[in-house]
Amino acid sequence: EDQVTQSPEALRLQEGESSSLNCSYTVSGLRGLFWYRQDPGKGPEFLFTLYSAGEEKEKERLKATLTKKESFLHITAPKPEDSATYLCAVRRDDKIIFGKGTRLHILP
Amino acid sequence: DGGITQSPKYLFRKEGQNVTLSCEQNLNHDAMYWYRQDPGQGLRLIYYSQIVNDFQKGDIAEGYSVSREKKESFPLTVTSAQKNPTAFYLCASSGGRGETQYFGPGTRLLVL
């Protein structure tokens, strides 16, 4: 069965404390992996799409990487405004499968 | 500005009542989607449409209905058959099925 698992479920960091969020998947024939940011009560905001192992993309303090079995969202020197839920999704054929997300809280 | 709009932001439903959630996009996207989001769960697909006048059931279509009469619009009706409708509903669109999806701001449905 196709699955997308995100870990940890929740993460609390001090401002400036770098860390990584994990998205592991058991999807054969991956055709894309997506990262989104979701603030409370709002719709997900698109961050990155990764297509092949070894690919990396960056945006401000965020960097997403992809291997054959998982993706990492690295957060460098986070600020309180980076607090949100981060969603991962994978594409198999024309179907998109979402993980449950990681709730990130950055303490000032 | 291009984007996706959803209305209303909050919606209250009485027992036995049908309610309709609006979704409009001006991104010229062919595909549109409706998801349901519950606390602690991932997004679950209700319905999707790849072209005008055509739509398919997703994983949890029971108790919901949709129409796609215009490319820009994909309204969702929550019928009285949906026994647990309280949730956050998200509309999304993409250039094609399986491509990057862009989301609207969501509608929170509550039952009175």
Side-chain angles (χ1 to χ4, degrees):
Chain A
E1 180 184 354
D2 295 331
Q3 280 196 330
V4 178
T5 303
Q6 291 189 245
S7 62
E9 290 187 12
L11 181 62
R12 293 166 68 93
L13 299 172
Q14 289 295 136
E15 183 173 1
E17 181 185 0
S18 302
S19 188
S20 297
L21 312 182
N22 177 263
C23 173
S24 63
Y25 56 90
T26 57
V27 170
S28 58
L30 181 76
R31 295 182 63 187
L33 185 141
F34 310 93
W35 280 100
Y36 291 86
R37 169 191 171 127
Q38 186 175 24
D39 292 301
K42 297 189 177 181
E45 173 190 348
F46 170 71
L47 294 173
F48 307 108
T49 303
L50 302 168
Y51 291 102
S52 57
E55 189 175 0
E56 298 183 354
K57 288 193 176 175
E58 290 187 62
K59 179 180 180 180
E60 297 180 354
R61 294 177 292 281
L62 300 176
K63 183 170 79 171
T65 62
L66 181 64
T67 71
K68 288 186 178 180
K69 293 185 178 180
E70 58 191 348
S71 176
F72 292 94
L73 184 65
H74 307 278
I75 302 177
T76 301
K79 298 181 178 181
E81 54 262 41
D82 294 322
S83 297
T85 296
Y86 290 85
L87 301 175
C88 169
V90 300
R91 174 183 176 182
R92 179 182 67 82
D93 298 326
D94 288 337
K95 184 174 182 179
I96 306 290
I97 305 162
F98 283 86
K100 295 182 179 181
T102 293
R103 297 188 311 279
L104 177 65
H105 186 54
I106 308 300
L107 301 168
Chain B
D1 288 338
I4 303 174
T5 57
Q6 291 186 242
S7 62
K9 186 172 182 179
Y10 296 96
L11 186 57
F12 298 90
R13 194 192 90 164
K14 296 179 181 179
E15 290 289 335
Q17 186 181 41
N18 293 352
V19 292
T20 298
L21 286 62
S22 170
C23 177
E24 304 276 334
Q25 56 99 0
N26 61 2
L27 299 169
N28 199 32
H29 283 167
D30 288 317
M32 297 187 74
Y33 314 80
W34 274 106
Y35 291 92
R36 171 179 173 142
Q37 187 174 38
D38 295 281
Q41 296 197 38
L43 299 179
R44 293 185 289 169
L45 183 64
I46 304 172
Y47 268 97
Y48 66 95
S49 168
Q50 298 186 73
I51 56 173
V52 174
N53 293 324
D54 187 51
F55 49 83
Q56 283 78 42
K57 294 181 179 180
D59 300 319
I60 55 165
E62 186 175 351
Y64 301 96
S65 65
V66 293
S67 63
R68 187 87 186 274
E69 297 178 1
K70 299 187 299 181
K71 185 175 182 178
E72 302 80 16
S73 179
F74 191 40
L76 173 74
T77 297
V78 183
T79 74
S80 57
Q82 172 50 244
K83 299 307 180 187
N84 184 25
T86 298
F88 191 50
Y89 290 86
L90 288 161
C91 179
S93 70
S94 68
R97 178 101 166 101
E99 296 182 19
T100 301
Q101 297 183 13
Y102 297 88
F103 286 84
T107 291
R108 186 164 300 279
L109 177 60
L110 301 167
V111 176
L112 295 176

